[in-house]
């Protein structure tokens, strides 16, 4: 009997072991986690940056402009030559015209400084013959300054005067004649003078007194670069004097001259 019980227990143990093994074999196995790194070949969603547009070229970029506000305050009394082809001399410092509350020297500098700022805004390099009221710059020295700096244009700023108070208007003086150091400046000076006068007249509404050729001015005769001289109006005329005393009209004068200089260089580029 005892032997029978032992045999029965042994049978049950073997069967249980087999059942557990079968259950283990039937249980699904977890897949092994891959260590391979997949490369993402999908196209990037980054939007390419827009191509930067080049900054516009300013109309007077790389141009050298000499701005010469006429006259000055000085106690010097010296002579200067009139022409490189002559031994004749003249008084270097002469007083300019005068208005009721302003001198020509003051007006010329006020407009000249405004013009400097406008030209620089348009890309020009500006050479000033004077920045203050006091100066020892003769007309000869002013011409040499423009020459030595290889100016593309020299603009001389002046105002007029007359014994006849009824005379008024704007004019442009340009170099001409056999006293010039260089005949090469005649044609471009004429062209620049026309452009600047027309633009200044348009900006101010001043009366047109035309273009005058001059052969007796030291600043013209020693010039080796295109040079022009604008007579902005008559300080001896009460109405014109009063207009040129105002900030608004001085702004118009400077803007008109600047516009004319831009027009001149645009015409030069078109003809090249």
């Amino acid at each position: 009997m005892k032997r029978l019980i032992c045999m029965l227990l042994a049978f049950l143990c073997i069967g249980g072991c087999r059942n557990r093994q079968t259950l283990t074999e039937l249980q699904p196995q977890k897949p092994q986690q891959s260590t391979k790194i997949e490369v993402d070949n999908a196209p990037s969603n980054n939007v390419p940056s827009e191509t930067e547009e080049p900054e516009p070229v300013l109309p007077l970029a790389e141009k050298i402009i000499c701005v010469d506000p006429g006259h000055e305050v000085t106690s010097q009394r010296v002579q200067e030559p009139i022409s490189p082809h002559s031994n004749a001399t003249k008084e270097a410092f002469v007083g300019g015209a005068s208005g009721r509350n302003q001198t020509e020297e003051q007006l010329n500098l006020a407009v000249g400084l405004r013009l400097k700022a406008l030209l620089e805004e348009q890309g020009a390099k500006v050479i000033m013959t004077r920045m203050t009221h006091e100066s020892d710059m003769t007309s000869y020295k002013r011409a040499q300054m423009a020459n030595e700096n290889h100016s593309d244009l020299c603009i001389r700023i002046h105002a007029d005067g007359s014994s006849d108070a009824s005379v008024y208007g704007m004019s442009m003086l340009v170099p001409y004649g056999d006293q010039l150091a260089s005949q090469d400046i005649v044609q471009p000076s004429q062209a620049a003078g026309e452009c600047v006068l027309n633009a200044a007249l348009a900006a101010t509404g001043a009366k047109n007194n035309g273009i005058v050729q001059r052969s007796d001015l030291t600043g013209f005769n020693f010039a080796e670069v295109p040079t022009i001289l604008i007579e902005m109006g008559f300080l001896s005329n009460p109405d014109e004097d009063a207009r040129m005393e105002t900030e608004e009209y001085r702004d118009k004068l400077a803007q008109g001259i600047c516009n004319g200089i831009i027009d001149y260089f645009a015409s030069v580029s078109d003809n090249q």
Side-chain angles (χ1 to χ4, degrees):
M1 184 68 178
K2 186 182 295 185
R3 182 178 178 183
L4 179 61
I5 292 172
C6 289
M7 290 177 63
L8 180 60
L9 290 173
F11 175 79
L12 291 173
C13 181
I14 293 172
C17 290
R18 286 179 178 174
N19 289 338
R20 284 197 298 271
Q21 182 178 5
T22 302
L23 289 173
T24 301
E25 290 174 353
L26 294 176
Q27 186 176 1
Q29 300 294 316
K30 292 182 179 181
Q32 292 185 351
Q33 187 174 4
S34 174
T35 59
K36 181 180 178 180
I37 300 175
E38 297 291 340
V39 178
D40 185 5
N41 293 321
S44 173
N45 291 327
N46 293 334
V47 178
S49 59
E50 295 182 2
T51 304
E52 294 184 1
E53 295 184 1
E55 293 186 4
V57 178
L58 295 173
L60 297 179
E62 301 182 358
K63 300 301 181 187
I64 301 173
I65 313 296
C66 180
V67 176
D68 176 24
H71 301 287
E72 64 286 303
V73 174
T74 183
S75 60
Q76 294 190 33
R77 293 294 178 265
V78 297
Q79 296 285 309
E80 69 176 355
I82 297 176
S83 164
H85 304 298
S86 170
N87 293 326
T89 62
K90 65 177 181 62
E91 182 73 26
F93 300 109
V94 294
S98 294
R100 180 176 180 181
N101 299 311
Q102 64 183 336
T103 65
E104 183 184 350
E105 174 272 318
Q106 293 169 338
L107 171 62
N108 297 342
L109 183 60
V111 175
L113 292 174
R114 284 169 167 77
L115 177 59
K116 175 181 183 292
L118 292 173
L119 293 172
E120 289 175 338
E121 287 177 2
Q122 299 303 318
K125 176 182 178 182
V126 179
I127 308 298
M128 295 290 292
T129 60
R130 68 180 178 98
M131 295 279 288
T132 60
H133 297 295
E134 294 76 18
S135 174
D136 62 354
M137 292 290 289
T138 65
S139 294
Y140 171 76
K141 289 181 180 179
R142 296 172 194 237
Q144 289 300 102
M145 178 180 284
N147 295 341
E148 291 169 0
N149 283 280
H150 307 288
S151 302
D152 295 290
L153 179 67
C154 178
I155 170 73
R156 305 179 65 197
I157 301 173
H158 284 255
D160 240 326
S162 172
S163 58
D164 183 352
S166 67
V167 176
Y168 68 100
M170 182 183 294
S171 61
M172 178 65 66
L173 279 55
V174 296
Y176 186 78
D178 57 7
Q179 296 300 304
L180 299 176
S182 172
Q183 291 294 323
D184 292 340
I185 71 170
V186 173
Q187 189 279 329
S189 297
Q190 177 78 23
E194 292 174 357
C195 288
V196 172
L197 179 60
N198 290 337
L201 291 169
T204 61
K207 176 180 176 245
N208 184 0
N209 287 342
I211 294 181
V212 182
Q213 296 175 333
R214 294 287 291 270
S215 61
D216 60 331
L217 300 181
T218 297
F220 281 172
N221 291 339
F222 282 91
E224 297 172 3
V225 299
T227 303
I228 58 178
L229 187 156
I230 187 169
E231 297 280 10
M232 299 180 291
F234 280 79
L235 288 167
S236 52
N237 180 278
D239 293 336
E240 202 154 56
D241 173 41
R243 281 196 297 274
M244 291 191 290
E245 191 178 346
T246 66
E247 300 296 314
E248 180 184 4
Y249 195 77
R250 290 177 176 184
D251 288 341
K252 289 179 179 180
L253 285 165
Q255 188 64 64
I257 295 171
C258 180
N259 292 345
I261 291 174
I262 293 173
D263 292 344
Y264 165 65
F265 285 110
S267 68
V268 171
S269 298
D270 291 342
N271 294 327
Q272 287 180 345

